[in-house]
Amino acid sequence: MTTRAQRRFPELEQPCAWCHAIPGEQCTRARNEPKREPHPGRRDAWVAAHTDCPACHAPAGTGCIAPTGFPYPGVHPERAQAAADTYRQALEADSRDVPERRR
C-alpha cells in the first residue's frame, strides 16, 4: 500500500540527486527539515523515467535532447505535462472502485 504522500508525489519513487533522499523518503532542506514538495530535479527524473518526450522524441528512461544535440537541462514542458496527464488518468482509474470515494 502506498502512502498519501507517495500517491500525491509519485516522484518519491526516484532517489533525489539534490538532497540524496532515498526512494520513498521526502526531500529535505539544508538543515534536514522535510520539504513539502520534492526538489524539481527529482520530479524531472521521475518524468524522464516514465514518459516518452513528444518534443524531442526521447524514449522513457533517457533525458531530453536540446535542438543543438546536447542534453536538455531538465525535461521539456510537453513531457512534464504528458507525465502529469498520464498519472492523473491512472490515479483516477485506480480510484474508481473505492466505495468511500465521492462522485
Side-chain angles (χ1 to χ4, degrees):
M1 184 74 186
T2 59
T3 65
R4 181 178 289 176
Q6 288 169 329
R7 285 192 304 270
R8 183 172 174 203
F9 302 116
E11 51 272 357
L12 290 181
E13 74 178 40
Q14 298 290 326
C16 184
W18 183 260
C19 67
H20 306 290
I22 61 173
E25 296 288 323
Q26 285 184 309
C27 287
T28 57
R29 299 172 204 254
R31 296 183 180 176
N32 262 353
E33 300 167 351
K35 283 180 56 88
R36 290 182 184 232
E37 293 186 0
H39 286 104
R42 193 175 196 180
R43 181 164 307 174
D44 291 347
W46 177 80
V47 169
H50 292 283
T51 311
D52 295 336
C53 184
C56 67
H57 307 291
T62 61
C64 288
I65 304 295
T68 59
F70 291 106
Y72 188 80
V75 294
H76 288 105
E78 297 90 345
R79 190 177 201 177
Q81 186 61 48
D85 293 343
T86 302
Y87 182 72
R88 184 177 33 80
Q89 291 169 359
L91 196 60
E92 180 70 26
D94 286 346
S95 64
R96 282 200 177 120
D97 59 348
V98 176
E100 303 90 31
R101 182 169 182 250
R102 290 185 177 184
R103 300 211 189 320

